[in-house]
Amino acid sequence: MDDVATNRIVLRAKLRGARYDTVQAGTAAEALARIADSHPQLVLLDINLPDMDGIELCRRIKNNPATADIAIIVLTSASRSGLRIAALRAGASDFLNKPVDELVLLARMRSLLRARETDEELRQRETACHDLGFEEAAPANISPARIVLIPDRPETGITWRTTLKAHLPGNRIQMIDRDAVLAVAASEPPPDAYVISANLGATGDGLRLMSELRSRHPSRHAAICIAVEQGARDTSAVALDLGASDLLPLSLNSIEAAQEAAIRLQAQIERKRKQDRQRALVTDGLRLAATDPLTGLFNRRYAIPQLERIAENAEISGRSFAIMALDLDRFKSINDRWGHAAGDDVLVGVAERLGANLRGMDMIARMGGEEFLVAMPDTTLEEAQHAAQRLCRLIEETPFRLSNGGSIPVTVSIGLAMGGTGGAQPPVEVLIDAADQALLGSKAHGRNQVQLYNPIKHGHRRSGYLPRRSALVS
């Protein structure tokens, strides 16, 4: 947007050369109409418009929920004091003076568009979680932000810390030697933001440190702002292309530079924390989608695909794996006599004993009701039988304590089937059927025991497919 047609034409030609599609507007009213119609990813906005101040237009775009996600770069030839700060406070992502440096402009545009894509991806995942009924993650990050400063010289760092403490009160701001940064990045909790001099001892050392931080898991999602000298166009462009969250003035001796640094840094911290909440919601949503809410074990939705991966790995390695189908004996009588709360206590207790007495590599799932499934990769028949018999003893030996202070003796029946034993492998559903058939045999022969699936004994059908039982016998 520019009130001078020649400026719009020149800028449009530059952006077309960089393969950007553009829409032009000469007034604020026209710009708002074009934005509502095409919803661009980014707006280049001049301060001087014939019908509205550019700062006010920026504020209107950002205050409208339908357009608030659009990045804005303000371009101007005006030199009024405070104009830059006013634009940033109105929601602009950057403020560039005319004549605009094409190298810096295009690097800033690439950086903003990448950030917007990340925001949009997280927003879509957040929306999907809401659609599935998962609650929004609580704003856990209400504690002061932790900001780490890595200056080129100690005196620079002292100025930064003093200035930022005055403009960002209540936050934890510490200056750290560059040699200790990676150790601090792995601390708990990791820093929310870093401010790094572009040049630490040698030219570009700060950018190399930023790349190192971006490659480490604890600091990957932190806000990283690079402090550059005024006019360092090449360094600025490279920093943005390498993943800098934003650029800050290297010298904070003037009030305007200090205000700019604080506004930019605060905006990046807020964005980082919003993304943390979105990631937490997605992580929690995935966990809830894959786990049983009562016992915390995996559910059937997760267990089947995981079992398929175990079977695929067994086929590649040539090693066998075991599947156990476990069912609590006479569980219905527990609910009838003691109540469903007691039954829930027993289910939780069984899940805890299974988890405490199986290997970390073994998968445990609650398949529904009082039925559990255990998959043991890289396991021989002898090892699987020994583990199943041990589980029977562990369940039987100690009664389960109830939340009301009582206790209930419980036993479990187990059906065992082996996979990955050579030849054509049946689908995992068939192996689960086989374990279920063996479980029925355990029930029929007195309960509280382990039965191994035998295709002849349990009615093996042609092609290895077995009938799926409709219900367990209790």
Side-chain angles (χ1 to χ4, degrees):
M1 282 169 273
D2 197 309
D3 60 333
V4 179
T6 304
N7 292 343
R8 297 198 303 270
I9 293 170
V10 171
L11 185 56
R12 182 181 184 183
K14 291 180 178 180
L15 296 180
R16 275 190 170 180
R19 299 296 187 267
Y20 288 105
D21 294 326
T22 61
V23 176
Q24 297 184 61
T27 66
E30 185 182 0
L32 290 172
R34 293 288 179 89
I35 289 172
D37 181 56
S38 60
H39 200 78
Q41 296 174 307
L42 187 147
V43 169
L44 302 178
L45 170 64
D46 193 279
I47 288 291
N48 299 314
L49 296 172
D51 55 341
M52 185 185 299
D53 179 75
I55 302 295
E56 177 59 27
L57 177 57
C58 178
R59 190 176 293 111
R60 290 195 184 187
I61 294 172
K62 285 298 181 178
N63 288 341
N64 183 350
T67 58
D69 63 326
I70 299 175
I72 300 175
I73 298 178
V74 172
L75 311 175
T76 185
S77 55
S79 58
R80 299 197 308 270
S81 176
L83 200 57
R84 186 183 194 89
I85 300 303
L88 294 174
R89 285 178 173 162
S93 299
D94 207 353
F95 184 100
L96 301 178
N97 290 310
K98 295 180 181 179
V100 176
D101 189 311
E102 184 177 349
L103 177 69
V104 176
L105 173 62
L106 293 178
R108 173 61 78 176
M109 290 177 63
R110 289 191 294 269
S111 174
L112 291 173
L113 292 175
R114 283 196 306 272
R116 189 180 188 277
E117 288 178 0
T118 300
D119 292 343
E120 181 60 27
E121 182 179 356
L122 287 172
R123 187 160 43 245
Q124 289 177 358
R125 293 179 182 178
E126 182 182 31
T127 300
C129 287
H130 284 305
D131 292 343
L132 290 171
F134 303 130
E135 294 183 0
E136 184 175 355
N141 288 316
I142 57 176
S143 59
R146 186 182 180 196
I147 304 170
V148 168
L149 311 178
I150 306 99
D152 53 348
R153 298 190 306 273
E155 53 269 31
T156 301
I158 293 171
T159 301
W160 285 0
R161 185 171 57 191
T162 303
T163 302
L164 292 176
K165 278 187 175 181
H167 288 83
L168 297 173
N171 294 301
R172 296 172 55 198
I173 303 175
Q174 58 185 138
M175 184 170 62
I176 294 179
D177 184 88
R178 62 177 178 174
D179 295 328
V181 171
L182 297 181
V184 171
S187 63
E188 290 293 339
D192 294 288
Y194 297 86
V195 179
I196 307 174
S197 288
N199 301 320
L200 297 173
T203 301
D205 275 358
L207 305 188
R208 283 186 281 273
L209 177 59
M210 175 183 66
S211 298
E212 193 67 37
L213 289 169
R214 285 283 184 234
S215 70
R216 306 293 179 95
H217 178 73
S219 53
R220 182 171 303 156
H221 300 303
I224 303 180
C225 296
I226 299 297
V228 296
E229 293 182 353
Q230 185 176 3
R233 58 190 297 272
D234 291 337
T235 301
S236 297
V238 171
L240 291 169
D241 282 335
L242 287 178
S245 304
D246 207 345
L247 304 176
L248 304 186
L250 180 64
S251 172
L252 301 185
N253 290 323
S254 71
I255 294 176
E256 187 164 354
Q259 290 176 334
E260 178 183 348
I263 292 170
R264 289 181 181 273
L265 187 54
Q266 183 63 42
Q268 292 302 323
I269 291 172
E270 291 175 358
R271 177 173 179 267
K272 183 261 183 186
R273 290 189 159 185
K274 179 182 178 181
Q275 290 183 340
D276 286 347
R277 291 194 296 271
Q278 290 173 323
R279 290 188 184 95
L281 174 62
V282 173
T283 300
D284 289 345
L286 292 174
R287 178 182 55 80
L288 291 171
T291 57
D292 170 56
L294 176 63
T295 63
L297 298 177
F298 294 120
N299 58 21
R300 183 181 183 88
R301 179 189 297 173
Y302 176 89
I304 300 302
Q306 184 67 12
L307 188 53
E308 289 173 346
R309 284 189 284 271
I310 291 174
E312 290 171 0
N313 291 336
E315 188 172 353
I316 294 172
S317 67
R319 297 188 54 120
S320 58
F321 64 96
I323 297 178
M324 296 182 204
L326 303 87
D327 188 79
L328 304 188
D329 296 327
R330 298 184 175 90
F331 184 73
K332 183 177 182 300
S333 65
I334 295 176
N335 284 330
D336 292 343
R337 180 179 177 184
W338 299 89
H340 288 280
D344 288 348
D345 289 340
V346 170
L347 291 172
V348 171
V350 169
E352 290 174 350
R353 290 191 195 181
L354 293 178
N357 291 280
L358 289 166
R359 303 171 300 180
M361 64 190 295
D362 298 331
M363 182 193 69
I364 313 170
R366 183 186 177 198
M367 302 299 278
E370 66 272 27
E371 183 182 359
F372 298 83
L373 181 137
V374 173
M376 303 181 68
D378 295 339
T379 302
T380 65
L381 173 58
E382 183 180 1
E383 292 168 338
Q385 287 178 312
H386 178 74
Q389 290 164 357
R390 185 180 73 253
L391 292 177
C392 270
R393 291 195 305 272
L394 288 167
I395 299 297
E396 180 187 22
E397 282 175 354
T398 307
F400 287 84
R401 298 182 64 84
L402 305 180
S403 54
N404 63 9
S407 62
I408 301 176
V410 177
T411 61
V412 64
S413 297
I414 300 178
L416 180 62
M418 299 298 297
T421 53
Q425 295 297 306
V428 294
E429 286 280 5
V430 172
L431 292 173
I432 296 175
D433 283 336
D436 281 344
Q437 293 296 316
L439 173 60
L440 287 174
S442 296
K443 295 282 190 180
H445 287 82
R447 300 179 175 87
N448 191 26
Q449 60 181 276
V450 178
Q451 285 279 323
L452 173 65
Y453 173 71
N454 184 317
I456 298 177
K457 179 178 178 182
H458 293 100
H460 180 65
R461 287 189 171 186
R462 179 172 56 87
S463 300
Y465 285 87
L466 301 167
R468 179 72 174 166
R469 61 188 176 84
S470 59
L472 283 172
V473 179
S474 296

